[in-house]
Structures are given as C-alpha cells and as structure tokens.
Amino acid sequence: MRFRVLGPVCLEPRTPSAPKQRAVLATLLVRAGAVVPAGALFDELWPDGPPRTAATTLQVYVSHLRKALTQGGHGRGALETRPPGYLLRVEPGELDLRRFEELLSHGRAAFRACDFVAASGELTRALALWSGPALSGVPQGEVLTAAAVRLDELRLEALELRIEADLRLGRHHEVTGELMELARAHPLREQLHCQLMEALRRAGRTTDALRAYRAVHRSLHDELGVRPGPALVRLHARVLSAHASEPVTAGATATAAVAAAPIGRPRAGSRRASGGPLPDVRVSRAHRRSP
C-alpha cells in the first residue's frame, strides 16, 4: 500500500512531516477520486476561520504534496488542480481504505451466503490492514473527524461479523479471550457482549456468562440509564436456563448464586433479603465459649 489512512496517515516512501500537510493529504485520501473544494480544505485546516493568506498557503501545501508524490513514483498528474479544488487519483491496490472496503464487502456477501469460512478469511484480511485508530497523527477538523468516526465504526462492524462467523464455525474457545478484551474496551456495545456471553455459554462457562451480563447491564444503566436490548435479554434467559440445569459443586455454589442473582436485588443472606438483622458474631462466639 502506498497510501494508508487505517491508522497513522502515511505516504510511501516518505510522509510529509508538517501536520497541516498531512491533514491536506488525509482529506484528499478519504475523498480519493473526487474533487475536494478548496473551501472544504480551508475549513479543515483552519476551523476558527482561514487567514488572509489561506489560498497561498494551501497552494504551498499542495505543491509540497505533489513533490512528495513524484518522489514516491506517483507522477505529477496524481494530484490535479480541478475547480473548485483538488483531486487525488489513486490506483487500485494503492490505498488501504479501498482494499478494506472491498474485503469487507466480500466478507458480508460470504456471510449472507452462509459461507462462514470464506467470511472469516476475508474479514480477517480486511482487519489486518489496520494499524491503529483511523486517520491518527493529523489534526482533525470537521471532515476528518466525521471520516474517522465512520471508519472506526466500519472496523467494529467487520470485527463483529468476523467473530460471528467464527462462532458459527464452533471457534468459541479461540475468540473468548479476544471478546473479553473487546468488551472491556467497548462497555456499551451490546453486540460484543452478546458474542462474549454466547462464547462463554458454549464453553460451559455459564457463571462467567452471567457475570458478563451483569457487567453490561450495570454499564448501560450507569452510563445511559437504559436496560439491555432484547437480544441480550433473550441470551441471558438462555444462559440462566443452562446454568440451572448444571450440576454445581459445593465450592462453586456461593459464586454461582451471586452471578445468577437478579440484577438490582439484594443477595440471599443480606439484611434486606432475610428481613431481619444479621446475627451478632460477638454474641455467637461468647455463647460458644460459655460452659
């Protein structure tokens, strides 16, 4: 790849060092093949309003980019001046974003066709193109901020779809650790928590699955004031049913009871649950010591 935006913005063999030059490059890349108006570049480079020298300064940035493109073997025609702005031409296979979108499209199609092996493979290759948060390392105005949000959302979609394909292939053991990390990184993303609970359920770890449900339930309530959606609620009911049918060893009874306890209700044995005060430990000990 000669151009990269799925992580730090990069132009091979040498990325411009000036932040605003990189911002111009990034803005042209996310709209590669289309004319980007000079006004949009002004807004991106100077969100608080362009200086009087904005047009001249932008021309200097574009000139430096043309030089960098030529040194990289792209040719001076790669970056055209086309009213009302500029157009950057990118050949097939040169931009990681385009390759990612192609592989994501192939992965979606394979998943819809229930070819989960192909779906997992295509999506794995798509995700391998990422090296960090989209469009990192450049100052972001309105255009780049919106583009970064869109691209990061596409990455999560690809990740969830790849994990779903792996689950359909019976790879729940392989994805459990990855899902635990993702659930911590995205505490409000219900699809990831559903997949984590399902992986744990299939592995026979129903207590851990119930703990995962309690965690997302708490996060949704504390952060947004909402309850889990229908998919999580249905899966929770399935896990509870599976948990109730499992044999429980004596050492695991207390832990399992806590995990399966209804959300928002006191645990059995607490002051509120028992309806009366807890026994006074000091009195009990004194009683045991009495003859």
Side-chain angles (χ1 to χ4, degrees):
M1 297 293 168
R2 292 188 170 185
F3 302 100
R4 295 184 181 275
V5 296
L6 303 180
V9 174
C10 178
L11 166 61
E12 294 183 357
R14 184 172 178 271
T15 304
S17 58
K20 287 191 182 297
Q21 286 185 35
R22 293 199 305 273
V24 173
L25 173 63
T27 305
L28 293 170
L29 284 173
V30 297
R31 297 185 178 181
V35 175
V36 179
L41 290 167
F42 291 159
D43 293 341
E44 192 65 27
L45 295 171
W46 299 286
D48 298 328
R52 289 180 296 176
T53 59
T56 302
T57 303
L58 178 59
Q59 289 172 2
V60 172
Y61 292 156
V62 170
S63 177
H64 286 312
L65 278 178
R66 283 199 176 107
K67 183 177 179 180
L69 288 166
T70 301
Q71 291 175 344
H74 298 279
R76 292 187 62 83
L79 179 51
E80 298 181 17
T81 299
R82 183 166 315 173
Y86 302 92
L87 179 148
L88 179 60
R89 296 187 180 279
V90 175
E91 298 299 323
E94 288 189 329
L95 177 59
D96 60 354
L97 171 57
R98 285 189 174 173
R99 181 58 177 155
F100 170 77
E101 290 176 331
E102 290 171 2
L103 290 168
L104 176 57
S105 177
H106 296 162
R108 288 169 175 157
F111 190 91
R112 287 194 298 269
C114 297
D115 187 349
F116 301 122
V117 172
S120 178
E122 295 289 306
L123 295 166
T124 297
R125 286 188 285 275
L127 292 164
L129 294 169
W130 285 74
S131 59
L135 299 166
S136 56
V138 299
Q140 295 182 3
E142 185 175 337
V143 171
L144 290 182
T145 298
V149 170
R150 181 182 75 86
L151 294 177
D152 286 333
E153 181 63 28
L154 283 177
R155 178 176 180 265
L156 280 173
E157 178 197 339
L159 191 55
E160 289 173 345
L161 196 60
R162 193 226 82 214
I163 290 171
E164 190 63 33
D166 286 340
L167 286 172
R168 301 289 182 93
L169 293 169
R171 299 172 180 170
H172 43 275
H173 290 293
E174 291 89 332
V175 300
T176 298
E178 179 184 12
L179 280 166
M180 287 180 170
E181 183 177 353
L182 288 168
R184 285 193 293 269
H186 303 279
L188 304 179
R189 197 163 182 98
E190 294 191 39
Q191 176 65 13
L192 289 173
H193 289 271
C194 269
Q195 291 175 326
L196 172 58
M197 290 178 62
E198 179 63 16
L200 291 168
R201 184 190 71 82
R202 293 186 184 186
R205 298 170 58 182
T206 56
T207 299
D208 290 332
L210 292 170
R211 283 202 190 97
Y213 180 80
R214 292 177 70 87
V216 66
H217 187 288
R218 187 180 302 109
S219 295
L220 290 169
H221 178 270
D222 293 348
E223 296 292 330
L224 304 177
V226 299
R227 293 179 177 275
L232 265 173
V233 171
R234 288 194 298 269
L235 182 54
H236 180 236
R238 290 180 65 193
V239 175
L240 280 175
S241 176
H243 180 76
S245 63
E246 289 179 355
V248 180
T249 62
T253 304
T255 301
V258 170
I263 306 293
R265 296 183 184 178
R267 302 175 189 174
S270 70
R271 181 184 296 268
R272 288 173 55 198
S274 62
L278 294 174
D280 190 324
V281 176
R282 292 171 299 176
V283 172
S284 299
R285 290 173 178 170
H287 178 74
R288 287 198 300 270
R289 287 196 302 266
S290 62

